[in-house]
Amino acid sequence: MRIKDKKRFIIACAGLAVLLIIIIVVVLVGFNAKNTSAAAADEKQNALATNTQETSANTAVVNTENETSPVADPVASSNEAGEKVSEKVGEGITQVVNKNHSISADFKPDDLVSVDLPSTRDTQLREVAATALTGLFGAAETKGLELFCCSGYRSYETQAELYAWNVETYGVEGAELVSARPGMSEHQMGLAMDVTSASAGFDLLESFGSMPEGQFIKENAHKYGFIIRYPEGKTNITGYAYEPWHLRYVGVDVATDIYSSGKTMEEYYGVN
Ligand SMILES: [Zn+2]
C-alpha cells in the first residue's frame, strides 16, 4: 500500500469509528428515553389508581351523609373537607357504619390497644371498647363461660382482602351477606369484635347464638355497652345475615336502649 493510500485508509477507518460511536450513543439515549417514559407512565397509573380510590372513598362519605344521622356533619363538597368529615364519622362511638354509610380508606382510630383477653389471635380495639369488653368477659367468667376474641380492628386494606376472598368463595351476592366492603366495616372503626367459644370450635357460627356463651352475650352485652349488631331476622334492614358473634360498642346508654327496643341500629337512629 502506498503512503497516500495508507492515509486514506486510516481516515476512512477513523470516520467509520466515529460514525459507529454516534450510532451507539443515539441508540443508548433513545433506549433511556423509552425507559424513562415507561416509568413515568407507571407512576401516572399508580397516581391515577390512588386518586380514583381516594375520590371514590370521599364520594362514598359525602353520599352517605344523612340529616337524620346521629352525629351528622355538614356535607362538604371539597375533598379536603370531605376527609375531615369522614374522620369525624369514624370517631363517634354511636356512628352508623353500614352499606350506605362508609368511612374513608385512611381512617384509623388513634387509640387502638391490643386486647388483653383470651383470643384466637392478636387483635385490637379502641381503648374504651377494649375496657368494656373486659367487663363483659369477666361477667361471663363468673357464670363459668369462657369467651374468646376472634377479630377486632381491621384496616381498610385487610377488609378489602377479606371481602375479595369472600367474593371469590361465595360470589358477590353471597359475600354481601357475610362481609362488608372495605370502608363499610365497623371493624375499621375499632368498635367491633367478633367473639367465639371453645364450644363453637373457635369459629364464627350461627349456632353460637343458641349456645350458652352466645345466649349470655345476647342477654348481657348491653350492660357493657355492646349490641348484637346483626340480629336474627333483620337481614332486610341490616343487609347482613344473622351474626350472633359480632359485637358493636355504642356505650351503655345507647346499647341498653337498643336492647330494650329490640330494634336494629338502623331502626333506632332512623337511617338506612
Ligand atoms: Zn364482625
Side-chain angles (χ1 to χ4, degrees), residues 151-152 154 185-187 192-194 204 230 243 245-247:
S151 183
R154 292 200 287 261
S185 173
E186 292 185 330
H187 287 281
M193 178 63 80
D194 297 330
L204 302 177
Y230 310 116
E243 292 194 359
W245 60 80
H246 180 104
L247 292 173

Side-chain angles (χ1 to χ4, degrees), residues 86-265:
S86 63
E87 205 175 303
K88 279 189 182 175
V89 167
E91 275 176 356
I93 61 161
T94 58
Q95 183 60 43
V96 175
V97 169
N98 61 15
K99 291 178 193 290
N100 300 313
H101 299 259
S102 60
I103 45 179
S104 71
D106 58 4
F107 174 76
K108 183 183 179 181
D110 55 13
D111 59 350
L112 288 173
V113 293
S114 285
V115 177
D116 188 20
L117 289 168
S119 302
T120 59
R121 73 192 82 164
D122 283 344
T123 191
Q124 296 177 304
L125 274 182
R126 285 188 60 183
E127 199 168 4
V128 65
T131 304
L133 194 65
T134 305
L136 177 64
F137 274 41
E141 216 177 314
T142 64
K143 303 284 178 190
L145 302 169
E146 193 173 16
L147 296 167
F148 287 82
C149 295
C150 199
S151 183
Y153 167 75
R154 292 200 287 261
S155 69
Y156 181 94
E157 290 73 22
T158 303
Q159 190 64 36
E161 283 169 23
L162 194 63
Y163 179 76
W165 181 86
N166 275 293
V167 168
E168 225 170 85
T169 311
Y170 305 112
V172 174
E173 244 178 81
E176 284 291 319
L177 276 176
V178 298
S179 177
R181 288 172 184 245
M184 297 179 179
S185 173
E186 292 185 330
H187 287 281
Q188 194 190 333
M189 303 172 85
L191 295 171
M193 178 63 80
D194 297 330
V195 298
T196 184
S197 62
S199 52
F202 305 105
D203 207 348
L204 302 177
L205 307 174
E206 206 175 289
S207 56
F208 177 68
S210 53
M211 292 174 186
E213 294 85 356
Q215 287 288 321
F216 179 82
I217 62 167
K218 195 184 283 179
E219 295 308 322
N220 297 282
H222 63 279
K223 297 173 189 168
Y224 300 88
F226 290 94
I227 56 167
I228 305 290
R229 182 66 175 85
Y230 310 116
E232 200 166 13
K234 298 281 191 175
T235 302
N236 59 328
I237 297 161
T238 64
Y240 292 103
Y242 176 38
E243 292 194 359
W245 60 80
H246 180 104
L247 292 173
R248 159 70 195 269
Y249 183 77
V250 289
V252 173
D253 291 348
V254 171
T256 303
D257 274 359
I258 289 178
Y259 172 79
S260 308
S261 68
K263 290 178 176 175
T264 61
M265 202 171 178

